Amino acid sequence: MAVQWTKEQQKVIELRDTDILVSAAAGSGKTAVLVQRIIGKIMDENHPVNIDQLVIVTFTQAAAEEMRERIMEAIEKQSALHPQNVHLQRQKTRIHMANISTIHRFCKHIIQNHFQEINLEPSFRVGDTGEMALMRQDVLSEVFEHYYEEGREEFLQFTEYFAGGKDDEGVGEVVLQLYESAMSNPNPEQWLKKCCGAYQVKTCEQLMETEWMKALFLHLQGLVRHAKNRVLQAFGRMDDTQGCEAYGGIFSYYEALLEKLMGQADYQTWFLALGGFEHQKLPTGKRACPDVSVREELKEIRDELNKLLDDLKKKYFKQDAETVLLQFEESRCMMELLVEVTLFFHKQFLAEKRKNNLLDFHDLEHEALHILLDEDGNPTQTALEYAEYFDEIEID
């Protein structure tokens, strides 16, 4: 019995000449749909492709082998239904050359075929996790020894700044954490140098122009809008209930404060406004409001507003702008040295790996990228040849 695909699944199977992102729950048949799409491309009457003209990427190698088996089964099934289809018959042999693997194995495939373009010895190997961890720790120790021998005062301050105990182990962890973050970027060195830029802040105006501060205030404005809606809900309940006028002035206080913050993207304005914030005490009893449920609802809204405003002050506006700028200056010096040490570690670690003709998983990604893109980020001749040969990239 033929599989009955849903409308959405059929669309994924048949859609061509465009990027597709499929998001669905586990067990919903994403892999089955992908296999059917692959078979559909192989058997396309207008533009049939060979299985080895597709790059099929999975998360694990076990998943890749399973994918290869499922595609092979689907090819054999279609071959039985279409015995005269020579192109389909050829795929039975070509599937053994197909690029069905993890992203790292595909990167390794690129490097093995173009090692000379990155001055790499063809006998390179990928180090195992334990081996690379030991080498990384040895190089880190050598890097720290180098800086201690230099005797720079700022480095000693740097170790005290980041050390979590009596030794510099905590400092090493910070360096490795930053290194790992950098290596997840296409250009680690560029990304590391850019990190320092976020600390080049000397005025409130420059502070508000940083990307992270813009993102913070975008988030804050969303919270203010929600709080303003809660105040309007309180006013609405008071309008609908006679005898609740005593609450009007209290919620007008919250409304005025929120109005002052609404649309404002200035740190000092928020600091002063939240610094002057005081919890408002609600009147109690039937004289304040005859309806018990309304009193409880108004109390709930008041408590929610108090918590929000307290949290904003505690998390983001505990200190005035001048103090924040002074802290930025102190942090900038430490950050610049952290980046310097991390860059030096990156350079030494890379040299040690090359010396031993080793690559780790980060190297597989970056070296493959170096083969495919030039220094300006443009496709190399190798990349253009791959683009000409491969028809589509499928990621499961």
Side-chain angles (χ1 to χ4, degrees):
M1 183 178 176
V3 178
Q4 296 296 313
W5 305 106
T6 66
K7 182 180 178 180
E8 290 77 12
Q9 289 174 329
Q10 195 66 45
K11 184 178 181 180
V12 172
I13 293 168
E14 297 177 353
L15 203 58
R16 298 288 183 266
D17 302 321
T18 185
D19 294 334
I20 305 173
L21 175 62
V22 178
S23 177
S28 59
K30 293 188 296 295
T31 302
V33 169
L34 179 55
V35 170
Q36 188 60 34
R37 176 179 174 81
I38 292 167
I39 295 300
K41 290 190 69 65
I42 291 172
M43 299 181 65
D44 193 302
E45 294 181 1
N46 300 317
H47 182 56
V49 301
N50 293 310
I51 185 63
D52 56 323
Q53 288 179 282
L54 300 174
V55 177
I56 304 167
V57 177
T58 62
F59 188 68
T60 66
Q61 193 55 36
E65 294 306 320
E66 181 184 350
M67 175 69 75
R68 190 183 299 273
E69 290 177 7
R70 294 177 71 165
I71 294 172
M72 186 63 187
E73 288 174 4
I75 290 174
E76 289 179 343
K77 182 179 179 180
Q78 291 299 320
S79 295
L81 295 173
H82 305 88
Q84 304 303 318
N85 191 324
V86 178
H87 172 73
L88 194 56
Q89 297 293 335
R90 290 199 190 105
Q91 306 313 307
K92 293 181 181 180
T93 55
R94 299 185 78 101
I95 194 170
H96 301 294
M97 302 182 291
N99 290 283
I100 306 173
S101 67
T102 62
I103 186 63
H104 289 114
R105 183 161 290 198
F106 181 64
C107 289
K108 184 180 179 183
H109 168 78
I110 294 175
I111 296 169
Q112 285 174 327
N113 286 278
H114 303 275
F115 59 87
Q116 71 281 358
E117 297 176 24
I118 52 173
N119 298 317
L120 186 67
E121 291 294 326
S123 58
F124 78 89
R125 65 180 179 88
V126 180
D128 63 50
T129 304
E131 180 181 17
M132 300 315 298
L134 288 173
M135 181 180 290
R136 185 170 60 233
Q137 202 60 49
D138 288 343
V139 172
L140 185 64
S141 297
E142 292 173 4
V143 166
F144 273 48
E145 185 177 343
H146 165 81
Y147 277 96
Y148 281 126
E149 288 178 355
E150 278 191 340
R152 289 162 56 184
E153 180 63 29
E154 58 264 36
F155 181 75
L156 299 179
Q157 295 174 355
F158 165 77
T159 56
E160 291 179 5
Y161 191 84
F162 285 106
K166 296 181 179 180
D167 54 32
D168 58 15
E169 182 177 345
V171 189
E173 291 177 0
V174 172
V175 171
L176 291 178
Q177 287 173 4
L178 183 59
Y179 168 78
E180 288 294 326
S181 296
M183 295 305 287
S184 66
N185 287 267
N187 191 326
E189 294 183 9
Q190 186 181 76
W191 183 85
L192 281 168
K193 292 174 182 177
K194 189 177 179 181
C195 287
C196 295
Y199 291 82
Q200 301 294 330
V201 175
K202 296 184 178 180
T203 66
C204 283
E205 291 76 13
Q206 291 176 338
L207 177 65
M208 298 312 302
E209 285 301 313
T210 59
E211 292 299 321
W212 62 269
M213 188 61 87
K214 289 178 182 178
L216 171 61
F217 269 82
L218 187 64
H219 171 66
L220 294 178
Q221 290 299 331
L223 295 178
V224 169
R225 284 194 296 272
H226 173 73
K228 181 74 180 297
N229 288 334
R230 293 293 279 159
V231 171
L232 294 177
Q233 288 174 17
F235 281 128
R237 293 297 282 149
M238 285 185 276
D239 290 341
D240 294 338
T241 309
Q242 292 185 351
C244 293
E245 293 79 8
Y247 290 87
I250 293 166
F251 283 98
S252 291
Y253 170 83
Y254 289 105
E255 182 181 37
L257 176 57
L258 293 170
E259 283 289 348
K260 189 172 185 179
L261 299 177
M262 186 79 74
Q264 286 289 335
D266 178 74
Y267 182 92
Q268 191 67 6
T269 298
W270 277 67
F271 170 77
L272 293 173
L274 292 173
F277 165 65
E278 296 180 353
H279 287 198
Q280 297 300 294
K281 186 177 180 180
L282 293 176
T284 58
K286 291 184 178 180
R287 286 188 176 184
C289 181
D291 191 316
V292 176
S293 64
V294 173
R295 289 204 305 268
E296 289 298 319
E297 186 175 347
L298 293 176
K299 180 179 180 301
E300 180 183 326
I301 294 175
R302 189 283 310 266
D303 291 345
E304 182 182 328
L305 294 170
N306 283 344
K307 184 179 186 308
L308 170 66
L309 294 167
D310 284 343
D311 286 348
L312 291 181
K313 180 179 179 180
K314 181 179 178 181
K315 289 181 180 179
Y316 308 115
F317 300 96
K318 290 179 67 175
Q319 299 161 317
D320 63 18
E322 184 177 352
T323 303
V324 170
L325 291 173
L326 287 173
Q327 290 178 336
F328 260 91
E329 178 61 23
E330 178 184 356
S331 299
R332 180 185 62 78
C333 298
M334 294 298 101
M335 189 62 192
E336 287 178 349
L337 195 48
L338 174 58
V339 168
E340 178 190 324
V341 174
T342 306
L343 281 168
F344 186 61
F345 166 77
H346 172 47
K347 178 181 176 182
Q348 297 301 106
F349 188 35
L350 188 60
E352 186 67 17
K353 286 183 287 187
R354 281 300 183 104
K355 176 183 173 183
N356 291 276
N357 207 22
L358 284 173
L359 298 180
D360 60 18
F361 288 119
H362 290 312
D363 296 325
L364 291 176
E365 298 169 359
H366 288 108
E367 297 298 355
L369 199 59
H370 291 154
I371 291 169
L372 299 175
L373 297 177
D374 63 21
E375 293 182 356
D376 297 322
N378 299 313
T380 61
Q381 183 60 37
T382 299
L384 295 175
E385 290 171 0
Y386 274 122
E388 182 67 24
Y389 182 77
F390 288 116
D391 185 82
E392 195 167 84
I393 299 173
E394 316 280 2
I395 303 175
D396 184 15

